[in-house]
Amino acid sequence: MSTEQEDVEDIKISEFRPYLNRFKVTFKVIERDEIVEVQNRNNPDEKHQMSNVKIADSTGSVILTAWDDDIEYLEIDNYYSLTNGYVNLYRDSMRLARGKYGEFSESDADFEPNLENNRSDEKHERRRRRNY
């Protein structure tokens, strides 16, 4: 998978804000919820696996929504980088996602994860949709 690496800034979880994209973040996988099977809203015959994965860096933690093959790839206690991910809102809570253009890679980082600053606990207002 090819991603555009220019214009991508290294940031920390403490700098996340809703709808942020085009960044690189390095993190440690802390824990993973059970895997659930979900149906595609637009194609009921299409099913996917999904799991919420708690990740952290030295500045905070956040929930990463992992899909299909990414679930098994992201192993607990290992370090990874995500390039071109994005931050979205799910039920007014910030979530990190790989998205279509994002790319995970293993990292040789080593830091003490900050579990006190859980960014997914914060409540945010969703963007209002335009009426045309």
Side-chain angles (χ1 to χ4, degrees):
M1 178 187 321
S2 162
T3 58
E4 295 179 24
Q5 298 295 322
E6 67 277 352
D7 300 335
V8 177
E9 178 183 2
D10 279 319
I11 68 167
K12 299 289 188 182
I13 291 173
S14 64
E15 300 172 271
F16 281 7
R17 62 186 185 280
Y19 311 111
L20 179 70
N21 61 23
R22 296 190 68 81
F23 60 86
K24 179 179 179 182
V25 64
T26 300
F27 59 87
K28 181 177 183 177
V29 176
I30 306 302
E31 61 189 31
R32 182 174 64 205
D33 287 352
E34 288 185 34
I35 298 171
V36 295
E37 191 170 277
V38 295
Q39 283 183 310
N40 182 327
R41 272 188 264 180
N42 300 320
N43 181 359
D45 294 333
E46 187 177 314
K47 293 183 170 73
H48 295 277
Q49 291 184 324
M50 188 275 300
S51 180
N52 289 320
V53 179
K54 185 174 189 177
I55 64 164
D57 68 10
S58 61
T59 67
S61 63
V62 71
I63 300 298
L64 180 147
T65 305
W67 294 90
D68 300 321
D69 294 340
D70 291 341
I71 298 168
E72 296 302 321
Y73 177 76
L74 298 170
E75 296 182 14
I76 295 172
D77 291 331
N78 288 355
Y79 293 85
Y80 300 91
S81 291
L82 171 58
T83 304
N84 279 331
Y86 69 95
V87 178
N88 60 7
L89 291 180
Y90 175 72
R91 296 185 177 167
D92 302 327
S93 171
M94 277 198 293
R95 303 295 171 111
L96 178 62
R98 177 176 63 85
K100 184 177 179 179
Y101 301 105
E103 189 174 307
F104 289 116
S105 59
E106 293 182 23
S107 172
D108 58 2
D110 187 15
F111 51 78
E112 189 63 35
N114 178 341
L115 302 178
E116 301 299 315
N117 181 22
N118 186 341
R119 301 299 311 279
S120 290
D121 284 345
E122 301 170 10
K123 295 296 178 196
H124 296 270
E125 220 174 285
R126 290 188 212 157
R127 290 180 177 164
R128 294 181 183 238
R129 293 184 182 214
R130 294 182 184 171
N131 294 328
Y132 292 101

